């Protein structure tokens, strides 16, 4: 009984540790004044309204969506087909992808940024494209896991074989059978990658900086000028991430049941 | 010329030989079974016939046409997979109609043929269900219907019943055979279950280590095993070395075979004229359905099987005289 009480206490402590900053930030985004009291003295939408009237924020938001979405889009067109081919037809080469996946995790952002700057500043490639390329590689683990798990869960190779024996070409089998079957997993991987990239700060800040201001750089700037605005930015970011997580959970649940999306 | 001819088929993966010198001749409307333990290469033969795997050497002809450069989609070969490979994003009806859509058959004919085949496999009421809403047996029927509807020249069945429980499996074996006879379709079944092979086949090819160990009708395979492997794999044969058996019967056996096989049901307790006699102490009796399997210990261990209804119960620990007809003692090569 005593042990249980101890465990409950620690559980509660960790929940508070994780939730309290989120709740406090959200409250601060809606508080008119919150300096000397335990709870805000009043609530307001002023900071959110200010934020949405700020063209700089809208542009930063658009850049973040463009950059993250662009990287995910490129990954979908370049990496996903490669993973399909390797998993289905050359499984012996999968070990190389797995090594690449681990390498992505093993490079700290700062080191990666310094490396990219040293290599590409002299080449003449726009640095924003360099970051985009790094992002495409950076989301390899999420894209790879999502795609591979989807393919394995439906025994994709056998589905392709079955479709071909029924008279379908490889392209028809891929488009009519495989893609609709693995699409929920692919989409979940894409959303996860998008949310990870949307929150990325180190690489974009060090390589490009304020020349291409994203939401994270905008947030960094606002932290020193207005805590309320910065909290409002975090709130919007949390809402967006919450929505993405909800959609991912929904897709994952649907893909486990009858896949009739 | 035979309907399907397989000649000198070889398959290697790196340095490992999976199939070696496979020759088969199959007539139209025959139900053929490739029987063998896991890893003996039987599924590889199916995949090569279907065009899903390339052979290292050898040739396959269907209706006199060499299949070497023909794509799987153009071979007119149907296949039912072990895991059924039903398309999870399609209903039963859509799964079954898929092949006809690929052949660009008109919608009215598709509808009529789908209803007809669903009737044959008793799944008309499940037409709008998704595969995951069906039992294993129903999924197997959908896979069969989907393969049959395109009227393939040959239907390949890769252990389609192995994931089902015994009762459903037996029912589906009967259904499969009935459908095959009804449509007069050439079918090649792969299985490791000798009872299944015996139940459905016109001809069995028993495989071992990538080679055909013996082929023939189920009766020929069962009653005349040519090797110890066949005798052990096909049933509960008693395989006895010549010296031991000669010592047991107190006489000399004809021929030069080093080992002999005796079917357990060929051994009986009542003497008949010309029978070979040997004795043993009853050690264990096990009932398996309507069969009692009794193990005796004489010069070596041997087993006798009797039907339960007429079977004599043996007292464990007691010595008995056992008999077998001379023609039931089969010399092995």
């Amino acid at each position: 009984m005593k042990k249980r009480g101890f465990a409950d206490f620690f559980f509660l402590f960790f929940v508070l540790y994780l939730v309290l900053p989120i709740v406090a930030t959200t409250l601060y985004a809606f508080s008119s004044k919150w300096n000397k009291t335990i709870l805000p003295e009043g609530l307001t939408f002023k900071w959110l309204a200010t934020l949405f009237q700020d063209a700089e924020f809208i542009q930063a938001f658009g850049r973040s969506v463009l950059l993250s979405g662009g990287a995910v889009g490129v990954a979908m067109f370049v990496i996903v087909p490669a993973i399909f081919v390797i998993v289905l037809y050359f499984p012996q080469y999968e070990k190389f992808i797995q090594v690449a996946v681990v390498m992505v995790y093993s490079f700290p952002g700062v080191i990666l940024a310094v490396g990219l700057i040293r290599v590409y500043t002299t080449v003449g490639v726009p640095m924003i494209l360099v970051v985009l390329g790094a992002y495409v590689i950076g989301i390899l683990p999420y894209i790879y896991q999502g795609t591979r798990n989807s393919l394995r869960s439906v025994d994709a190779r056998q589905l392709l074989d079955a479709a071909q024996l029924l008279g379908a070409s490889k392209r028809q089998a891929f488009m009519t059978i495989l893609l609709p079957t693995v699409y929920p997993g692919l989409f979940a991987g894409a959303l996860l990658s998008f949310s990870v990239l949307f929150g990325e700060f180190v690489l974009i800040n060090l390589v490009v900086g304020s020349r291409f201001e994203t939401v994270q750089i905008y947030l960094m700037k606002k932290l020193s000028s207005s805590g309320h605005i910065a909290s409002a930015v975090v709130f919007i970011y949390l809402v967006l991430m919450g929505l993405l997580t909800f959609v991912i959970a929904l897709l994952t649940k649907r893909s486990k049941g009858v896949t009739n999306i | 010329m035979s309907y399907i001819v397989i000649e000198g088929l070889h398959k290697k993966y790196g340095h490992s030989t999976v199939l070696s010198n496979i020759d088969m001749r199959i007539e139209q409307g025959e139900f053929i079974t490739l029987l063998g333990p896991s890893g003996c290469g039987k599924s590889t033969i199916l995949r090569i016939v279907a065009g899903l795997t390339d052979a290292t050497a050898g040739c396959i002809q269907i209706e006199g046409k060499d299949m070497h450069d023909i794509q799987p989609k153009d071979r007119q070969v149907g296949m039912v997979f072990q895991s059924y490979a039903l398309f999870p994003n399609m209903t039963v009806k859509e799964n079954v109609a898929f092949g006809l859509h690929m052949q660009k058959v008109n919608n009215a004919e598709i509808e009529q043929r789908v209803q007809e085949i669903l009737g044959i496999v008793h799944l008309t009421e499940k037409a709008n269900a998704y595969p995951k809403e069906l039992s294993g047996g129903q999924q197997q029927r959908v896979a069969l219907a989907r393969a049959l509807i395109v009227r393939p020249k040959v239907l390949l069945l890769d252990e389609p019943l192995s994931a089902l429980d015994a009762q459903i499996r037996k029912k589906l074996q009967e259904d499969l055979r009935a459908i095959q006879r009804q449509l007069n379709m050439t079918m090649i079944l792969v299985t490791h279950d000798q009872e299944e092979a015996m139940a459905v086949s016109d001809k069995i090819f028993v495989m071992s280590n990538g080679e055909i160990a013996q082929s023939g009708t189920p009766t020929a395979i069962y009653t005349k095993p040519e090797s110890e492997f066949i005798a052990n794999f096909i049933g509960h044969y008693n395989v006895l070395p010549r010296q031991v058996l000669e010592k047991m019967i107190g006489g000399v056996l004809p021929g030069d075979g080093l080992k002999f096989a005796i079917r357990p049901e060929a051994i009986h307790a009542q003497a008949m004229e010309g029978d070979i006699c040997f004795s043993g102490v009853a050690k264990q009796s096990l009932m398996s359905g309507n069969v009692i399997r009794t193990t005796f210990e004489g010069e070596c261990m041997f087993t006798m099987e009797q039907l339960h209804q007429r079977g004599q119960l043996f007292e464990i620990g007691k010595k008995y005289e056992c008999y077998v007809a001379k023609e039931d003692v089969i010399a092995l090569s």
Side-chain angles (χ1 to χ4, degrees), chain A residues 103-155:
Chain A
M103 283 174 73
V104 168
Y105 285 121
S106 62
F107 279 105
V110 176
I111 293 182
L112 190 60
V114 170
L116 290 173
I117 291 167
R118 283 186 69 89
V119 172
Y120 288 105
T121 41
T122 52
V123 177
V125 180
M127 290 314 279
I128 190 63
L129 287 184
V130 172
V131 172
L132 184 86
Y135 278 4
V136 171
I137 303 300
I139 57 176
L140 176 67
Y142 311 103
I143 301 283
Y144 168 65
Q145 292 294 350
T147 312
R148 191 193 62 162
N149 292 347
S150 299
L151 290 173
R152 290 205 173 156
S153 68
V154 294
D155 199 349

Side-chain angles (χ1 to χ4, degrees), chain B residues 109-263:
Chain B
E109 191 183 339
I110 289 177
E111 183 64 28
Q112 181 246 320
R113 279 168 68 177
V114 167
Q115 290 308 324
E116 190 184 328
I117 199 79
L118 287 180
I120 291 175
V121 297
H122 313 298
L123 278 174
T124 310
E125 72 284 4
K126 293 284 182 188
N128 295 315
Y130 282 90
K132 285 195 174 176
E133 295 168 339
L134 304 176
S135 67
Q138 287 169 332
Q139 288 186 33
Q140 197 274 344
R141 285 168 197 271
V142 177
L144 188 61
R146 188 180 66 178
L148 286 171
I149 199 167
V150 292
R151 296 169 185 162
K153 287 179 178 171
V154 54
L155 181 62
L156 311 174
L157 304 148
D158 191 2
E159 305 211 36
L161 309 177
S162 61
L164 304 172
D165 62 55
Q167 215 171 356
I168 297 172
R169 194 161 67 230
K170 283 201 170 153
K171 173 77 178 73
L172 287 175
Q173 282 168 8
E174 290 165 14
D175 288 352
L176 196 59
R177 187 60 162 149
I179 290 168
Q180 186 265 336
R181 283 195 170 128
Q182 187 183 341
L183 302 174
N184 191 35
M185 185 169 280
T186 311
M187 291 190 185
I188 306 177
L189 170 74
V190 156
T191 183
H192 59 263
D193 180 346
Q194 51 94 3
E195 282 183 26
E196 187 170 291
M198 295 284 167
V200 298
S201 317
D202 290 314
K203 194 174 178 184
I204 297 173
F205 289 82
V206 187
M207 292 189 63
S208 170
N209 295 324
E211 293 180 349
I212 294 171
Q214 189 177 343
S215 65
T217 62
T219 311
I221 296 275
Y222 187 68
T223 56
K224 300 221 170 3
E226 288 171 0
S227 65
E228 185 177 357
F229 167 76
I230 303 284
N232 285 325
F233 189 73
I234 207 77
H236 301 106
Y237 267 87
N238 296 292
V239 178
L240 308 170
R242 170 184 280 274
Q243 290 139 310
V244 173
L245 190 57
E246 284 181 342
K247 202 171 175 186
M248 278 169 75
I249 64 175
V252 178
L253 290 159
D256 55 1
L258 292 176
K259 286 188 174 176
F260 290 84
I262 305 172
R263 277 180 288 122

Side-chain angles (χ1 to χ4, degrees), chain A residues 155 158-159 161-169 172 176-177 180-181 256-260, chain B residues 47 50 52 72-73 77 79 81 83 85-90 98-99 102 130 132-133 146:
Chain A
D155 199 349
Q158 208 155 74
L159 289 183
D161 287 347
Q164 282 182 261
L165 285 172
L166 289 165
S169 64
Q172 280 173 318
T176 55
I177 308 297
T181 306
K256 279 178 185 167
V258 178
T259 318
N260 55 354
Chain B
R47 291 187 64 83
L52 300 172
K73 73 185 182 74
V77 169
M79 189 158 176
F81 294 87
S83 63
L86 297 180
F87 307 138
N89 58 321
M90 294 184 182
F98 183 83
M102 291 300 116
Y130 282 90
K132 285 195 174 176
E133 295 168 339
R146 188 180 66 178

Side-chain angles (χ1 to χ4, degrees), chain A residues 88-246:
Chain A
L88 293 177
Y89 297 104
F90 304 99
Q92 68 271 28
Y93 297 135
E94 249 194 280
K95 54 179 182 265
F96 297 116
I97 300 190
Q98 282 155 5
V99 170
V101 164
V102 174
M103 283 174 73
V104 168
Y105 285 121
S106 62
F107 279 105
V110 176
I111 293 182
L112 190 60
V114 170
L116 290 173
I117 291 167
R118 283 186 69 89
V119 172
Y120 288 105
T121 41
T122 52
V123 177
V125 180
M127 290 314 279
I128 190 63
L129 287 184
V130 172
V131 172
L132 184 86
Y135 278 4
V136 171
I137 303 300
I139 57 176
L140 176 67
Y142 311 103
I143 301 283
Y144 168 65
Q145 292 294 350
T147 312
R148 191 193 62 162
N149 292 347
S150 299
L151 290 173
R152 290 205 173 156
S153 68
V154 294
D155 199 349
R157 183 67 200 265
Q158 208 155 74
L159 289 183
L160 281 181
D161 287 347
Q164 282 182 261
L165 285 172
L166 289 165
S169 64
K170 278 188 178 169
R171 195 190 68 81
Q172 280 173 318
F174 181 80
M175 296 304 286
T176 55
I177 308 297
L178 213 52
L179 212 51
T181 306
V182 301
Y183 142 80
L186 275 184
F187 200 55
L191 288 181
L192 186 65
S193 305
F194 179 82
S195 64
V196 168
L197 292 182
F198 200 84
E200 203 283 322
F201 172 71
V202 176
L203 207 58
I204 188 73
N205 188 44
L206 290 177
V207 177
V208 186
S210 57
R211 282 174 287 158
F212 194 86
E213 192 179 75
T214 60
V215 170
Q216 299 301 326
I217 296 175
Y218 178 86
L219 172 64
M220 198 62 191
K221 242 167 69 180
K222 288 294 170 190
L223 268 176
S224 53
S225 60
S226 166
H228 288 287
I229 296 281
S231 297
V233 173
V234 171
F235 172 73
I236 290 165
Y237 175 73
L238 286 174
V239 169
L240 182 69
M241 291 305 113
L243 274 173
L244 288 178
T245 309
F246 176 73

